[in-house]
Amino acid sequence: MNIRQRLLLRRIRRDDKSLTEIALIDAKIGPAATCKLVQALKDNTHVKTLWLAGNNMGDEGSEAIAEVLKCNHTIRQAILSVNGIGPAGALALASVLEQEDDDDDEKAVLEVLCVGGNNLGDKGAAFLADMLRTNASLIELWLRDNNLTSTSATALAQNLQSNVALQELWLGGNELGDEGATSLAAAIHEGCCALSVLDLSNNGITDVGARTLLEALASNHHITKVDLSGNDITDDEILRNINSLLEKNQKRRKK
């Protein structure tokens, strides 16, 4: 750890009330230093946001953060993108975010979790998807660029139907395809979820998948943004109709 990072560690341990955000972006401090920093947060009552993207923390760092979140209920946002986190790290985070009635005292109250640009794959995404079934605190979940396929989309869609908190789901840069889009469209169509933002950019979606989303949006009054940029959609009319429905929903929310 360099001088700046050691000074930051001291402030965390002192529970400095002016320190509400830890910002170490692309510092590449590795798992050992990450663990040292986050372990100091166990008794901290002022830090609300962890900006720890690009630090090569791996699963070890992710597991350390999950352990701290069991006892620290002040942290609301964890930005952990581009850290080499795999399924094991995802499982650790998912376990602490599950909110069953019998052990809520050891559960995190995160509102934002960003694990984009990692190595979750479908296995890691499945753990986080299952977590959504009981979680009632998470508002934003970022899973961009994680080599996810339609399998992940199906798991997420199934659990979204019993989730009443999540408002933004970011899935850009994966491989969901038309099958994944169709699964998510089914969840949207049911209207049970609270989603208002859905990012499906750069996912190999064609007119087929876009059409199922259009049909679903016709009966959904909550979603105000769907990002379909960078896909293989050639039917401009479908996109126009989707945008028209989204604009109507935006107007409804302003009333």
Side-chain angles (χ1 to χ4, degrees):
M1 299 177 74
N2 60 32
I3 294 176
R4 175 175 172 268
Q5 292 158 6
R6 288 198 294 270
L7 289 173
L8 176 61
L9 181 58
R10 290 177 190 172
R11 292 182 68 192
I12 295 171
R13 287 172 173 166
R14 290 202 311 266
D15 200 10
D16 185 338
K17 65 180 181 181
S18 67
L19 183 65
T20 60
E21 176 179 292
I22 293 177
L24 282 175
I25 302 171
D26 293 328
K28 297 178 173 58
I29 60 176
T34 299
C35 291
K36 195 170 184 177
L37 276 171
V38 300
Q39 284 166 3
L41 286 164
K42 283 188 175 181
D43 298 316
N44 186 286
T45 60
H46 292 95
V47 173
K48 296 181 179 180
T49 302
L50 302 179
W51 287 90
L52 296 174
N55 279 295
N56 300 330
M57 69 173 68
D59 289 333
E60 185 180 349
S62 180
E63 289 164 355
I65 290 171
E67 191 64 27
V68 166
L69 291 175
K70 287 183 180 179
C71 54
N72 184 315
H73 292 170
T74 303
I75 298 171
R76 291 292 187 271
Q77 301 182 72
I79 292 81
L80 312 176
S81 52
V82 196
N83 266 301
I85 298 171
L91 174 59
L93 291 167
S95 297
V96 79
L97 283 165
E98 289 175 347
Q99 294 171 342
E100 301 287 1
D101 293 338
D102 57 349
D103 57 357
D104 279 353
D105 288 342
E106 290 192 353
K107 295 304 177 184
V109 289
L110 277 188
E111 295 175 356
V112 178
L113 175 62
C114 177
V115 285
N118 283 294
N119 305 314
L120 302 188
D122 288 332
K123 186 176 181 180
F127 295 135
L128 292 169
D130 191 55
M131 166 273 296
L132 291 175
R133 181 177 54 83
T134 58
N135 180 276
S137 67
L138 210 58
I139 296 173
E140 297 181 25
L141 178 59
W142 294 67
L143 299 173
R144 291 176 58 89
D145 302 307
N146 265 293
N147 299 312
L148 308 185
T149 71
S150 60
T151 300
S152 293
T154 299
L156 287 163
Q158 290 172 345
N159 288 287
L160 276 173
Q161 294 183 34
S162 57
N163 183 286
V164 296
L166 195 70
Q167 297 176 22
E168 300 186 16
L169 180 58
W170 299 80
L171 296 168
N174 286 297
E175 302 168 13
L176 305 185
D178 289 332
E179 187 176 349
T182 300
S183 294
L184 290 164
I188 293 171
H189 181 72
E190 291 296 329
C192 299
C193 62
L195 278 187
S196 60
V197 175
L198 179 60
D199 169 29
L200 296 174
S201 60
N202 299 291
N203 264 291
I205 298 170
T206 71
D207 293 349
V208 174
R211 190 170 291 108
T212 63
L213 289 166
L214 172 61
E215 293 169 356
L217 286 168
S219 60
N220 184 297
H221 296 162
H222 301 295
I223 293 186
T224 57
K225 177 180 178 179
V226 176
D227 189 347
L228 289 169
S229 61
N231 283 294
D232 302 318
I233 303 167
T234 59
D235 191 329
D236 291 337
E237 185 176 0
I238 293 177
L239 293 175
R240 282 196 298 270
N241 289 336
I242 286 176
N243 288 331
S244 176
L245 290 172
L246 294 173
E247 287 174 4
K248 288 180 181 178
N249 287 347
Q250 290 167 9
K251 291 177 181 178
R252 288 190 182 98
R253 293 198 67 170
K254 291 178 180 179
K255 288 181 179 179

